[in-house]
Amino acid sequence: MSSDSTLESRPTGTEGSAGEIDLESLLGDAVLGRDDHENAPAFVIRPDEVRDVLTTLRDEAGFDHCSCVTAQQYPDRFETIYHLKCYADPTREVSVVVPTPIDDPVSESAAPVFETADWHEREAYDLVGIEYEGHPDLRRILLPETWQGHPLGLAYDQEQPQVVALSEHANPIAGDEHDAASETMFLNIGPHHPSTHGVMHVKAVLDGETVVDIDPDIGYIHRCEEQMCQNGTYRHQIMPYPDRWDWMSGLCNEWAYARAAEDLAGLEVPEYAQIIRTMGAELSRLASHFISLGTYALDVFGEFTATFQYAIRDRELVLDRLEDLTGQRMMYNYLRLGGVAWDLPEPRAEFIEETRDFLDGLPAKIDEYHDLLVTNEIFQRRCIDTGVLEREVATQYGCTGPVARASGIDYDLRRDDPYGYYDRLEWDVITEPDGDNYSRVLVRMREVEESAKLIAQCLDLLADWPDDERTVQSNVPRTLKPDAGAETYRAVEGAKGELGIYIRADGSDTPARFKIRSPCFSNLSVLPEIAEGEYIPDLVAAIGSLDCIMGEVDR
């Protein structure tokens, strides 16, 4: 299937059904109307029917993946959209639209049906102001509890001064205290701690060395990325931002925005540019996985400095290739709507040869990682059977990427909802059955080999491509103004998992709503499930195994 597949080619009914009408019949009187999106049918329901509708779609229609939850405000209503997919076939999509009145924005919580809705609804409450009845823990998640107003609400006063109570910035060490009555101790980990992989604060309750309760506290580098994208123009001003979400795999992020915007505006991408995009995205995946492997070695055992140094060495080689291609080593801004910014660097034969040389040396380097990590007894004792994430729990929390595939979930959007040139290349989706910290490392190491296979095939195609057919961009209008009311949710397989973008157009050259579905956000929410009951060192190993970049979590 190509990246511009039409909605008509996507089966959207129940298992074995003939079309969309089966879903409408299945939901019956709960449906108030239709509000179809570019990528999926959308059913409008009452706010008190959320759990029944989502349960029906999950249990009877097979929509077991709550991919994203988008909240927004119109002049006359609030709205929550639950974007549902099937892990077995993510091209089967449906959106559930829940409107609520302006004067009483209360909707039934979906958290009892999909655990991943817990964090998503907290974010919707925090930024937009919708309340979710029956939510297990409805409080702010990105902003301080003392914040006044909801920044993405239409009535929000941006000039209003904010007073954050001193307790919000208290010294974390001052909170360490022993509870003599229960024999437990409260311990703050982070937010400035190397093992939290960024500014994340983990509130942990310990019983001796055992973790009995943890609460990840995020939002320390929330930068209003969605609102900045809403203020930027489709054509030029949004593309620089994605590199700053997951700064380890920038081109994958750029492709997520490009795919959504191109779908919304009906833009075609030349075949030649699709190959360059595919190669660039896999180079970014290599860079991300190398830094993950290196830092994880330090997380598990501080003396594994050699592994870290090897990983940084190999990542630098990847960044050399990306710098030659894009001109940058981190913030690439290389993709353009309708293609890429420019062709391979000249002399192109030299670029292709040097990239092939790097790939030729990769098998020996991977053997080094196996010697240093995979077969290392200390590493095995620290990682095997710790941080176990069961397959059913992973689906409930909307986990994707290596985190999900290490729990036996055979889900990869490059194959299952193909875009770019992936469906015309030979490669394998890597899975592991055990779901522990060790499995997550193995998946990333094996994915390095698969990315190398993809890059090699792209290089062969690019080397033989006729000179007069090397079109890097299609004809794109200087100003893009998608039709008012058009909505789409599109996703790509980022290095960390499903990176999705929801855009609603209002007829202008800027989005009315821009929502980022961060794979790290959903993957991190599962941390209590894999760390509670483990020892403190296993908690550190579990955090690292999720490979979260806080810039993407907080946005």
Side-chain angles (χ1 to χ4, degrees):
M1 185 189 301
S2 64
S3 60
D4 59 349
S5 303
T6 59
L7 179 61
E8 286 74 23
S9 69
R10 301 170 178 232
T12 53
T14 59
E15 297 290 345
S17 66
E20 296 177 23
I21 188 65
D22 292 318
L23 281 183
E24 193 160 0
S25 301
L26 180 66
L27 299 178
D29 295 339
V31 177
L32 298 177
R34 296 290 292 269
D35 185 20
D36 288 353
H37 300 167
E38 298 296 318
N39 65 298
F43 299 93
V44 182
I45 67 168
R46 294 198 309 271
D48 59 348
E49 295 274 8
V50 172
R51 289 180 200 166
D52 288 344
V53 168
L54 294 184
T55 300
T56 299
L57 289 171
R58 183 194 64 189
D59 297 343
E60 299 184 37
F63 291 98
D64 56 352
H65 178 29
C66 183
S67 177
C68 182
V69 179
T70 300
Q72 56 189 332
Q73 183 180 358
Y74 291 82
D76 62 340
R77 69 187 186 281
F78 287 90
E79 187 176 273
T80 304
I81 305 173
Y82 297 91
H83 306 271
L84 305 184
K85 294 184 178 182
C86 303
Y87 273 108
D89 179 10
T91 62
R92 292 189 64 229
E93 303 179 69
V94 64
S95 297
V96 177
V97 182
V98 188
T100 53
I102 287 289
D103 57 352
D104 187 26
V106 179
S107 174
E108 201 172 49
S109 172
V113 184
F114 293 104
E115 288 283 357
T116 188
D118 184 335
W119 274 29
H120 283 279
E121 288 177 348
R122 283 179 60 191
E123 181 185 326
Y125 163 72
D126 192 2
L127 300 184
V128 182
I130 302 173
E131 297 185 14
Y132 295 91
E133 198 170 53
H135 189 282
D137 186 22
L138 190 62
R139 55 190 169 94
R140 292 189 183 272
I141 190 169
L142 296 177
L143 301 177
E145 284 296 327
T146 56
W147 198 265
Q148 302 298 306
H150 304 278
L152 293 183
L154 298 182
Y156 182 70
D157 181 6
Q158 297 186 10
E159 303 298 324
Q160 177 184 3
Q162 297 288 342
V163 179
V164 180
L166 184 61
S167 61
E168 295 291 332
H169 295 292
N171 182 350
I173 299 176
D176 298 338
E177 57 190 46
H178 180 262
D179 184 351
S182 63
E183 296 299 324
T184 61
M185 182 176 73
F186 176 78
L187 177 69
N188 284 290
I189 305 174
H192 298 290
H193 191 286
S195 293
T196 59
H197 286 244
V199 280
M200 178 176 68
H201 175 204
V202 179
K203 303 174 183 177
V205 178
L206 310 177
D207 183 358
E209 287 284 322
T210 302
V211 178
V212 295
D213 183 76
I214 60 170
D215 178 20
D217 179 18
I218 65 175
Y220 285 86
I221 53 172
H222 173 59
R223 296 156 295 157
C224 315
E225 289 282 346
E226 293 178 1
Q227 193 166 37
M228 288 193 292
C229 289
Q230 288 173 197
N231 292 332
T233 58
Y234 294 101
R235 185 71 171 87
H236 297 293
Q237 294 177 343
I238 295 178
M239 189 60 80
Y241 288 118
D243 292 317
R244 290 154 175 81
W245 305 338
D246 174 4
W247 42 69
M248 296 300 171
S249 56
L251 292 184
C252 296
N253 306 350
E254 293 180 21
W255 205 342
Y257 166 60
R259 191 179 191 197
E262 288 160 359
D263 185 53
L264 198 67
L267 300 178
E268 300 289 336
V269 180
E271 193 173 3
Y272 182 73
Q274 295 282 28
I275 300 173
I276 296 178
R277 283 184 174 188
T278 303
M279 178 187 68
E282 293 310 307
L283 285 169
S284 285
R285 196 178 313 277
L286 284 180
S288 176
H289 283 357
F290 278 133
I291 198 71
S292 173
L293 292 169
T295 55
Y296 192 61
L298 293 180
D299 287 338
V300 169
F301 189 61
E303 295 300 315
F304 284 165
T305 52
T307 306
F308 176 75
Q309 291 171 331
Y310 283 21
I312 294 299
R313 172 202 66 185
D314 297 336
R315 181 172 182 269
E316 286 297 303
L317 296 175
V318 176
L319 295 185
D320 288 343
R321 304 292 85 236
L322 285 167
E323 183 179 14
D324 284 349
L325 177 65
T326 70
Q328 300 291 331
R329 297 180 75 84
M330 197 169 189
M331 306 301 173
Y332 307 107
N333 191 22
Y334 177 63
L335 266 62
R336 296 290 184 270
L337 298 188
V340 295
W342 48 73
D343 199 353
L344 303 185
E346 294 290 348
R348 55 185 288 120
E350 181 179 319
F351 172 83
I352 293 173
E353 180 183 359
E354 290 178 352
T355 307
R356 282 173 172 163
D357 288 343
F358 161 72
L359 296 177
D360 290 341
L362 205 52
K365 293 179 171 61
I366 292 173
D367 288 341
E368 291 175 344
Y369 289 110
H370 280 280
D371 291 340
L372 288 166
L373 285 184
V374 176
T375 61
N376 185 290
E377 183 180 356
I378 297 175
F379 191 80
Q380 290 178 350
R381 288 172 66 88
R382 288 292 314 280
C383 295
I384 293 177
D385 293 332
T386 62
V388 176
L389 175 60
E390 300 293 344
R391 178 191 178 100
E392 295 73 20
V393 176
T395 59
Q396 268 290 302
Y397 279 85
C399 295
T400 55
V403 173
R405 290 191 286 273
S407 294
I409 299 175
D410 190 11
Y411 180 86
D412 191 312
L413 294 179
R414 294 173 294 175
R415 178 200 62 193
D416 301 331
D417 185 11
Y419 55 95
Y421 219 74
Y422 287 109
D423 57 343
R424 284 164 279 187
L425 302 175
E426 295 296 324
W427 59 286
D428 297 312
V429 174
I430 302 301
T431 61
E432 290 285 338
D434 297 326
D436 55 10
N437 292 329
Y438 194 69
S439 295
R440 291 188 277 277
V441 172
L442 290 180
V443 167
R444 293 188 182 97
M445 288 190 63
R446 294 174 61 195
E447 285 189 356
V448 166
E449 301 178 62
E450 295 305 314
S451 291
K453 286 165 54 176
L454 287 164
I455 295 167
Q457 293 173 74
C458 289
L459 289 172
D460 292 342
L461 290 166
L462 293 170
D464 297 337
W465 207 265
D467 291 357
D468 56 351
E469 296 179 17
R470 294 174 183 167
T471 305
V472 296
Q473 285 188 47
S474 61
N475 244 342
V476 179
R478 184 181 298 272
T479 301
L480 286 178
K481 295 183 178 181
D483 295 339
E487 302 173 68
T488 193
Y489 172 80
R490 301 297 276 159
V492 301
E493 188 67 32
K496 313 299 192 294
E498 180 181 332
L499 176 58
I501 303 293
Y502 165 85
I503 300 176
R504 174 170 63 86
D506 60 3
S508 70
D509 61 349
T510 61
R513 181 70 171 101
F514 191 100
K515 165 68 178 175
I516 305 165
R517 191 274 182 194
S518 157
C520 291
F521 183 82
S522 294
N523 290 347
L524 181 59
S525 69
V526 84
L527 180 61
E529 295 282 350
I530 66 175
E532 290 176 4
E534 303 278 10
Y535 293 118
I536 298 174
D538 299 330
L539 166 61
V540 173
I543 293 172
S545 75
L546 296 177
D547 189 23
C548 292
I549 298 296
M550 297 310 296
E552 189 185 85
V553 174
D554 294 345
R555 285 151 287 139

